[in-house]
Amino acid sequence: MSSHVLQEQASAEKTWEPRIVAYCCNWCSYAGADLAGTSRIQYPTNARIIRVNCTGRISPEFILAALDLGADGVLVSGCHPGDCHYTSGNLKLRARWALMEKAIEQAGVDPRRVRLQWASASEAQIFADGVRTLIDQVKKLGPIAREWR
């Protein structure tokens, strides 16, 4: 490999910023993310938000698809337990989360690349802190290896 190629790789590693997909429930976390924006609460711009009706709809396939399409980490953010607009969607997700982490690990992905958090519509700072925490964690892990595909 030529030194020019090695220099380009080293430069790319220095400038690498993780890409995060954030699945947010429509009723709480999406509104919290919106409030973070309107309140000018700073958080990294690496997160791409996908609004879902309820986090109870999230399956391991959603997370693996995001990682397969280039995300380095996935945040799932929903209503606090007991506050779900569909009664128990977030409770169902919470019950499945440990199994989802195992499925993600079985697929060859470090489960630290995925984060589950609860943030209500008025908790913009919690949403922003969750994004920041996941990005810091993914930065420590480095770019996702593509061998797991």
Side-chain angles (χ1 to χ4, degrees), residues 118-132:
W118 312 121
S120 74
S122 63
E123 295 176 326
Q125 189 65 55
I126 288 176
F127 176 80
D129 290 346
V131 170
R132 203 172 292 114

Side-chain angles (χ1 to χ4, degrees), residues 18 30 34 44 50 58 105 118 130 134 136 149:
Y30 186 80
D34 189 39
I50 298 175
I58 302 295
E105 189 174 7
W118 312 121
L134 181 60
D136 290 345
R149 286 189 199 172

Side-chain angles (χ1 to χ4, degrees), residues 56-132:
R57 175 69 178 90
I58 302 295
S59 71
E61 288 86 10
F62 281 32
I63 294 169
L64 292 173
L67 296 169
D68 191 39
L69 293 172
D72 296 297
V74 176
L75 172 69
V76 178
S77 188
C79 304
H80 286 276
D83 290 343
C84 179
H85 285 67
Y86 298 100
T87 309
S88 61
N90 54 2
L91 298 177
K92 291 175 182 171
L93 173 69
R94 186 173 69 181
R96 290 192 320 255
W97 190 253
L99 292 174
M100 288 174 61
E101 284 182 321
K102 285 287 182 197
I104 291 163
E105 189 174 7
Q106 287 292 315
V109 177
D110 190 321
R112 293 176 292 177
R113 292 184 181 277
V114 242
R115 175 181 167 82
L116 171 63
Q117 72 175 18
W118 312 121
S120 74
S122 63
E123 295 176 326
Q125 189 65 55
I126 288 176
F127 176 80
D129 290 346
V131 170
R132 203 172 292 114

